[in-house]
Amino acid sequence: MKIGILTYYGVHNHGAVLQANALKSVLQKMGHEVSFVSFERNYDYVLAGKAKKYQISLGSIPYYIGFLKEKGIGNVLYNVKKSQILKEFREANFSMVPYSEFNGDVTVVGSDEVFSVEIGYNAVMYGYGIKSNRLVSYAASFGPSTTEDIKQKERTEDIQKGLAQFNAISVRDRNSQNVVRDLSDKKVPLVIDPVLLYGYPEEQQQYIPNEKGYIAVYAYDSRMNDPEEVDAIKAYAKEKGLKVYSIGFYHKWADRNINVSPLQLLGWIKNAAFVITDTFHGSVISIICNSKLVVKVRESNRNKLTSLLGEFDLSDRTIESFSEIDDVVQKEINFDHVNQLLAQKQKDSLKYLTNAIEGKDE
């Protein structure tokens, strides 16, 4: 079949690129012809001048220049280089077709926060104007957006009508499942993120860093900069004789800030002494790489992170304070158990995706 993927392929982080590439790879392994459907993203609810923050292109450079004094030249140069690395990866791996021109057999919406209205409402993600024969979602997420948030932004009717157009809907977290149930009469199974579904087993082995003895920090530039958090991480690293490497994001306080391709990121995570993250995909990548992880859950991602960690019996990997790092690190992870759970979830999620595309569940 000819399949188009609708997702936020241009987000300025490796997790977003890896999830898009993973879904493409799974569909290609199933024998389908796959393209990404390009569109102009809407930023209804972002303050004027801030939208460039969410775009990964040369057009984002003025945004970074705008906070040069606040963030520093190192941050700006790092992100310009990172933008180019991610752009080159997409150009090498993503076949694009404009939204107005795609008329294939199936459109798959997802994964990631494609249903979120936090930044802006994007009608394309709800099937408006889709020309394909079938419309399904895979591991879609509302992110931090709740039914009440949608109501406050006066998008309830738009989203209700949009959800009604789907032939099949799946989501990746409990909050999203609840929102779909509130706004539609659709069955809405939980499935795993494409990165978990694909697993990148061969790609994990392709890049092995020359260095050992480091803590891999995977956190957005704007987070994990609080002096109390930074001091706790650095003190723990010094006590254990470890370096702190920020992988994929810039943190001035880290021993090294390492710019990597999406696939190289897997190698850095896999070979770390352990991972400190406060992101969904930082946790996902640690799971597939069987890397020991410490997770700081923040209010902005509590919905999806607690759902993810709970599904893999990893709820005890979270910290409220960074003074708890050692308590979590000392707890061993039964990765045999985690991998058994993952294998079953891969089987169930692949079954959903196959049936949704072929219309077998209707």
Side-chain angles (χ1 to χ4, degrees):
M1 293 185 186
K2 188 176 180 181
I3 296 179
I5 297 175
L6 264 173
T7 191
Y8 292 132
Y9 49 82
V11 178
H12 190 58
N13 72 66
H14 294 72
V17 176
L18 282 170
Q19 67 83 16
N21 186 67
L23 182 55
K24 177 212 70 174
S25 299
V26 169
L27 292 170
Q28 287 179 332
K29 286 182 66 176
M30 294 165 65
H32 301 296
E33 178 186 344
V34 186
S35 299
F36 286 89
V37 182
S38 63
F39 64 97
E40 189 68 28
R41 188 172 180 179
N42 196 0
Y43 297 94
D44 291 334
Y45 312 122
V46 178
L47 294 175
K50 296 290 185 180
K52 292 296 183 183
K53 172 183 177 181
Y54 299 95
Q55 297 170 320
I56 179 169
S57 69
L58 294 178
S60 63
I61 293 176
Y63 171 82
Y64 291 110
I65 291 176
F67 64 57
L68 179 59
K69 290 184 179 180
E70 177 186 355
K71 300 295 184 180
I73 188 66
N75 187 306
V76 173
L77 293 178
Y78 182 95
N79 278 286
V80 170
K81 181 179 178 181
K82 174 182 172 180
S83 176
Q84 187 62 30
I85 290 173
L86 295 182
K87 178 183 177 183
E88 290 173 357
F89 183 88
R90 294 196 317 273
E91 289 177 344
N93 294 279
F94 294 0
S95 173
M96 308 297 298
V97 58
Y99 183 85
S100 60
E101 297 178 13
F102 180 72
N103 59 354
D105 300 294
V106 183
T107 298
V108 180
V109 179
S111 173
D112 224 337
E113 297 184 11
V114 290
F115 288 160
S116 173
V117 295
E118 180 188 24
I119 295 171
Y121 166 73
N122 288 272
V124 296
M125 294 301 184
Y126 293 96
Y128 291 100
I130 288 290
K131 298 177 183 177
S132 59
N133 297 325
R134 291 185 60 76
L135 175 66
V136 305
S137 78
Y138 180 79
S141 176
F142 280 89
S145 302
T146 63
T147 304
E148 183 60 29
D149 293 329
I150 292 167
K151 181 179 179 181
Q152 289 178 353
K153 288 182 168 61
E154 299 182 345
R155 291 297 184 180
T156 301
E157 184 176 353
D158 293 328
I159 293 176
Q160 283 179 324
K161 290 180 178 178
L163 293 175
Q165 299 182 90
F166 281 81
N167 298 103
I169 297 178
S170 70
V171 296
R172 73 180 188 189
D173 58 82
R174 297 291 181 187
N175 173 65
S176 299
Q177 190 177 48
N178 291 334
V179 175
V180 175
R181 286 173 174 170
D182 288 342
L183 302 181
S184 79
D185 58 359
K186 301 282 188 181
K187 291 191 300 182
V188 53
L190 282 175
V191 296
I192 54 177
D193 185 88
V195 174
L196 293 166
L197 181 63
Y198 182 53
Y200 288 101
E202 296 179 3
E203 291 85 350
Q204 290 182 36
Q205 313 300 326
Q206 290 176 359
Y207 179 80
I208 301 176
N210 291 326
E211 302 184 46
K212 301 291 183 182
Y214 62 90
I215 300 169
V217 170
Y218 187 81
Y220 298 145
D221 296 354
S222 59
R223 299 203 300 235
M224 218 171 282
N225 294 313
D226 182 274
E228 183 178 348
E229 298 179 354
V230 172
D231 290 346
I233 295 171
K234 293 177 70 173
Y236 183 80
K238 183 177 181 180
E239 177 187 343
K240 301 299 181 181
L242 300 170
K243 296 293 185 180
V244 181
Y245 293 166
S246 180
I247 318 294
F249 294 98
Y250 185 88
H251 289 89
K252 184 178 181 180
W253 55 267
D255 292 305
R256 283 185 62 190
N257 287 280
I258 302 175
N259 242 324
V260 294
S261 73
L263 298 185
Q264 287 175 334
L265 173 66
L266 301 174
W268 281 101
I269 295 294
K270 187 174 184 65
N271 292 280
F274 66 92
V275 179
I276 297 178
T277 187
D278 59 359
T279 74
F280 180 85
H281 278 115
S283 302
V284 162
I285 296 167
S286 298
I287 290 171
I288 64 169
C289 290
N290 283 186
S291 297
K292 186 175 288 189
L293 71 161
V294 176
V295 183
K296 170 62 176 176
V297 178
R298 304 188 189 276
E299 286 307 314
S300 60
N301 58 17
R302 184 172 297 277
N303 290 335
K304 58 185 179 181
L305 261 180
T306 55
S307 179
L308 169 72
L309 296 173
E311 286 184 57
F312 289 93
D313 293 340
L314 293 171
S315 297
D316 64 348
R317 307 310 299 182
T318 63
I319 57 174
E320 291 297 325
S321 166
F322 280 78
S323 63
E324 303 168 20
I325 292 175
D326 191 57
D327 294 337
V328 176
V329 171
Q330 293 306 316
K331 298 176 184 176
E332 294 299 322
I333 299 176
N334 183 349
F335 277 114
D336 286 339
H337 174 63
V338 171
N339 292 338
Q340 288 174 1
L341 291 174
L342 177 58
Q344 184 59 53
K345 292 177 186 299
Q346 287 173 330
K347 181 180 178 180
D348 294 342
S349 296
L350 187 60
K351 180 180 179 181
Y352 161 81
L353 183 59
T354 301
N355 289 341
I357 288 172
E358 298 178 358
K360 291 182 178 179
D361 275 351
E362 293 185 5

